[in-house]
Amino acid sequence: MPSPELEPLPEDWDRALAVVAHPDDLEYGAASAVARWTSQGKEVAYLLATAGEAGIDGMLPVEAGPLRMEEERRGARVVGVTTVEFLDHRDGVVEYGLDLRRDVARATRRVRPDVLIAMNYAERWGFGALNQADHRAVGLAAIDGVRDAGNRWVFPELLDEGLEPWSGTKWAFVGAAPDCRHAVDVTDTFERGVDSLREHAAYLEGLGANAMGDPAAFLHGHATETGARMGVPLAVAFELIEL
């Protein structure tokens, strides 16, 4: 029997900070892994750059934003996450830069995570389609901001807020990256991840029936394919970066 292509991610850690652009970004697969980790007693906090207010074509942003924030909070609770923070960056036009890096560094110093969970910041997804601009900006700022958090002379104003440097983030787990060589066995927590996505009912309805179809079938197809590469029934792939 050939050796599995994907190695297990390290799990000898206690606390993670997940940094993504929009409500629902984590729910397309990574939430099943989060459910596994919280069931192990690990703490996971979510930081979202936007409220996702530009994500529903038929709804004004002023209405969609609060609705999608609440959907994200409900989805997070399904997988054992109670800390969900939203920044005030504008959905669809998030800019990579010092403000975003500072926001990530601030959250990192406050949460003091062992692990950063981020999403693909490459120009393309692994299957070839173009990635979205907000994903690229936030993913790269997440990596850089976590490293900024360890240098007291980068964003020294955070010291005035009582936030001491933090250099203890050992790894970044980057979901849906083009070059994933690690994965997480989510066989026992896959359904919780699906339920987490289903909490985004208004968003999924706004996408339309032809956009994705049944969330469970969509996620199951990816998890089955990844699981086969890991040698387990269901898995979610990540790129592992040592920080």
Side-chain angles (χ1 to χ4, degrees):
M1 179 179 296
S3 300
E5 299 176 36
L6 300 174
E7 300 180 17
L9 279 177
E11 293 189 323
D12 54 335
W13 52 272
D14 298 315
R15 186 178 299 111
L17 174 65
V19 181
V20 296
H22 315 109
D24 86 284
D25 283 355
L26 287 160
E27 283 69 35
Y28 280 99
S32 295
V34 171
R36 171 187 170 97
W37 294 325
T38 59
S39 70
Q40 296 171 343
K42 296 174 170 52
E43 297 179 21
V44 180
Y46 285 2
L47 179 71
L48 293 95
T50 80
E53 69 274 10
I56 302 177
D57 184 67
M59 186 178 295
L60 292 172
V62 69
E63 299 171 352
L67 176 61
R68 296 200 67 198
M69 290 168 70
E70 182 54 32
E71 288 186 336
E72 180 62 24
R73 294 186 186 100
R74 291 200 303 266
R77 285 195 292 268
V78 170
V79 295
V81 175
T82 57
T83 300
V84 181
E85 180 182 356
F86 295 89
L87 303 173
D88 59 358
H89 296 270
R90 184 181 164 201
D91 185 15
V93 291
V94 178
E95 294 184 280
Y96 173 88
L98 295 179
D99 288 345
L100 188 54
R101 283 170 51 190
R102 184 186 297 107
D103 287 339
V104 174
R106 178 182 289 110
T108 301
R109 290 190 182 191
R110 187 172 60 248
V111 175
R112 305 175 82 78
D114 308 302
V115 167
L116 166 70
I117 302 169
M119 300 305 293
N120 178 25
Y121 52 89
E123 291 184 358
R124 295 183 180 273
W125 302 103
F127 53 90
L130 285 173
N131 196 357
Q132 194 259 0
D134 287 356
H135 298 155
R136 301 199 307 268
V138 174
L140 185 58
I143 298 289
D144 291 342
V146 164
R147 297 186 70 185
D148 293 334
N151 188 329
R152 72 175 56 250
W153 307 123
V154 176
F155 307 128
E157 59 270 32
L158 297 180
L159 297 172
D160 297 333
E161 298 177 20
L163 296 171
E164 290 295 320
W166 173 253
S167 300
T169 308
K170 297 181 287 186
W171 300 294
F173 300 163
V174 183
D179 188 27
C180 294
R181 301 183 183 182
H182 293 74
V184 180
D185 182 354
V186 297
T187 305
D188 295 333
T189 55
F190 173 76
E191 292 300 332
R192 289 175 63 191
V194 173
D195 290 342
S196 182
L197 177 59
R198 283 181 170 145
E199 290 294 338
H200 295 262
Y203 176 69
L204 293 173
E205 182 179 357
L207 288 178
N210 294 327
M212 185 186 68
D214 177 47
F218 179 86
L219 294 176
H220 193 271
H222 286 282
T224 300
E225 179 181 347
T226 304
R229 297 175 61 201
M230 191 186 186
V232 300
L234 299 171
V236 176
F238 291 85
E239 179 183 5
L240 173 64
I241 300 174
E242 293 190 12
L243 300 175

